[in-house]
Amino acid sequence: MFHAASSPAHPPQKQQNEHKQRDAFFDNAKFLAIVLVAVGHAWEPLKGDSRILEGLYTVVYAFHMPAFIIISGYFSRSFDMRPDRLRRLITGVAVPYIVFETAYSLFKRVIDDDPDMAISLLDPWYLTWFLIALFVWRMTTPVWKAIRRPLPVALGIAMLASVTPEIGNDLDLQRVLQFLPFFVLGLNMRAEHFQWVRRRAVRILSVPVAAVALAVGWWSVPRMNTGWFYHRDSAQELGAPWWTGPVMVLALFGCSLVLTACFFAWVPRRSLWFTALGAGTLYGYLLHGFFVKAADYRGWYDHDWLYGPLGEIFVTVLAAAGVTLLCSAPVRRVFRCVMEPEMKWAFKPDPAELARGREKRGEDAPAREKVSA
């Protein structure tokens, strides 16, 4: 999801080189997915009064986070315990988690007049769960690269988590474990897999598949608990028999993969006006929640006209436009100090990196010449 935004700020020349190497498809996919995330969050206060909107919400929630997580896994394939990569993980994921977990808790205290809102780094609140999940997933990447059948193992862990209410809320481990198979799948994907879903035949087939998904989403509204799509509770906590947990994990994994493939099939491959915004999805993700929560806390959803078709369209367009602005370059420049801090003062020098730097500058050349003489 945030492969580019999870690294510290780079010199201008290096940023230009990375921009040339970026694949427009992935930036487009990340931007379109973050728009769906923002729209889904904006729909939450409205959906209870509209079966159509709740059906759309269900379909979107079936694939937008799986799509993000698969991309995150794909761009985590090279992660190992090398010091420079650990530093990027800390500065690009752990530090933003600490900052925004604290900021959202303080925001609720002030804006919602809730002075008892606790600040707890062990209990992610609202959308910060993804950062702690990404941190855990990346730290376990070497394990998934070492074992022979990583995806079945990850699915087994997710199924066990779905019947284990004792896991509790610490670090939102239910979500970490139940979404784990999508990350592991991304780790094991190759470029040709994304090429396959972008074929013309898949794009054509995705149209009736999406239509069926929308019909099923509408049908399921009064019959299915939307909580299954959040993957944050066990079957028992959702009031279902324990055995439905593993069944739903497998069923939703399959449905999510099909809908994610349909989504990827229609993501543009070429550079468009929003392609560059794909590098700022971390900013849009972490910042849009303040506006959605402020609207909810301050009663901006209390206007009756918002609960009709025109109001729902208005909220959708406003959420999409807002998160687009939050992914833009000016916003990224302002918030880079907390999203992508360098923090050189916090880390010990890496001898290997220093040696590579000396070699690049040619400082070792005289020594090599002396040895050869």
Side-chain angles (χ1 to χ4, degrees):
M1 173 182 181
F2 306 132
H3 68 280
S6 62
S7 58
H10 302 302
Q13 185 60 44
K14 188 171 182 181
Q15 285 182 329
Q16 291 174 8
N17 293 338
E18 287 184 354
H19 180 71
K20 292 177 183 177
Q21 296 170 359
R22 298 182 72 93
D23 188 330
F25 168 79
F26 290 107
D27 279 333
N28 291 338
K30 290 192 300 175
F31 171 75
L32 294 173
I34 199 64
V35 168
L36 291 175
V37 169
V39 167
H41 285 158
W43 281 347
E44 283 184 13
L46 300 176
K47 64 184 179 65
D49 291 341
S50 171
R51 183 171 179 176
I52 292 176
L53 188 62
E54 185 150 3
L56 283 171
Y57 177 90
T58 299
V59 173
V60 167
Y61 264 73
F63 74 89
H64 70 1
M65 286 312 298
F68 266 137
I69 296 167
I70 288 171
I71 293 175
S72 298
Y74 180 73
F75 283 99
S76 298
R77 293 171 302 159
S78 62
F79 181 83
D80 52 27
M81 295 300 176
R82 213 171 72 182
D84 60 329
R85 288 174 177 149
L86 286 173
R87 286 199 299 271
R88 285 196 294 270
L89 181 63
I90 292 170
T91 58
V93 179
V95 170
Y97 169 70
I98 294 170
V99 170
F100 281 89
E101 177 63 24
T102 304
Y104 270 108
S105 300
L106 293 175
F107 184 79
K108 190 175 192 304
R109 284 186 181 186
V110 175
I111 304 300
D112 195 30
D113 193 22
D114 183 9
D116 296 327
M117 177 64 185
I119 300 174
S120 173
L121 298 181
L122 292 178
D123 187 10
W125 187 69
Y126 196 34
L127 48 72
T128 59
W129 72 269
F130 182 79
L131 291 178
I132 200 64
L134 184 59
F135 185 88
V136 173
W137 294 332
R138 280 208 177 138
M139 286 295 289
T140 61
T141 293
V143 174
W144 302 112
K145 290 163 66 176
I147 63 179
R148 185 166 291 180
R149 297 286 184 269
L151 185 56
V153 172
L155 279 169
I157 291 173
M159 292 164 68
L160 288 173
S162 71
V163 297
T164 313
E166 293 81 7
I167 288 177
N169 295 323
D170 288 353
L171 300 182
D172 225 343
L173 281 178
Q174 277 288 358
R175 274 176 163 164
V176 173
L177 298 177
Q178 290 194 37
F179 276 116
L180 175 64
F182 297 104
F183 183 81
V184 174
L185 176 64
L187 279 177
N188 289 274
M189 290 184 70
R190 298 187 298 274
E192 53 264 33
H193 295 136
F194 291 98
Q195 293 291 341
W196 184 86
V197 298
R198 290 152 62 182
R199 294 183 305 171
R200 176 181 170 82
V202 178
R203 287 202 302 273
I204 294 173
L205 182 61
S206 68
V207 175
V209 170
V212 170
L214 291 171
V216 172
W218 181 87
W219 173 86
S220 68
V221 167
R223 298 174 173 85
M224 184 176 176
N225 188 338
T226 309
W228 287 109
F229 295 92
Y230 301 144
H231 296 284
R232 67 185 177 199
D233 297 300
S234 65
Q236 296 93 321
E237 290 169 308
L238 291 172
W242 70 267
W243 57 266
T244 59
V247 172
M248 290 300 293
V249 166
L250 291 177
L252 289 177
F253 182 73
C255 293
S256 297
L257 285 189
V258 171
L259 291 176
T260 300
C262 294
F263 171 70
F264 285 151
W266 282 98
V267 170
R269 309 181 200 183
R270 64 186 186 279
S271 292
L272 299 170
W273 65 268
F274 57 79
T275 301
L277 299 175
T281 50
L282 177 61
Y283 296 79
Y285 179 79
L286 289 175
L287 293 172
H288 84 274
F290 290 109
F291 296 94
V292 174
K293 285 299 184 183
D296 192 18
Y297 297 155
R298 290 303 184 182
W300 298 349
Y301 282 99
D302 293 344
H303 303 285
D304 292 339
W305 67 273
L306 290 176
Y307 293 82
L310 290 179
E312 293 164 357
I313 293 171
F314 172 77
V315 170
T316 302
V317 172
L318 188 63
V323 77
T324 298
L325 290 175
L326 294 175
C327 292
S328 64
V331 174
R332 288 158 59 189
R333 281 194 294 270
V334 172
F335 289 96
R336 182 167 285 129
C337 59
V338 294
M339 303 282 199
E340 305 176 64
E342 291 193 26
M343 296 180 61
K344 293 180 180 179
W345 53 269
F347 301 102
K348 295 179 180 179
D350 179 12
E353 191 172 329
L354 292 175
R356 287 193 296 269
R358 286 196 302 268
E359 186 174 355
K360 182 179 292 186
R361 292 191 301 269
E363 294 178 6
D364 292 342
R368 289 195 300 270
E369 289 173 4
K370 186 175 180 180
V371 170
S372 62

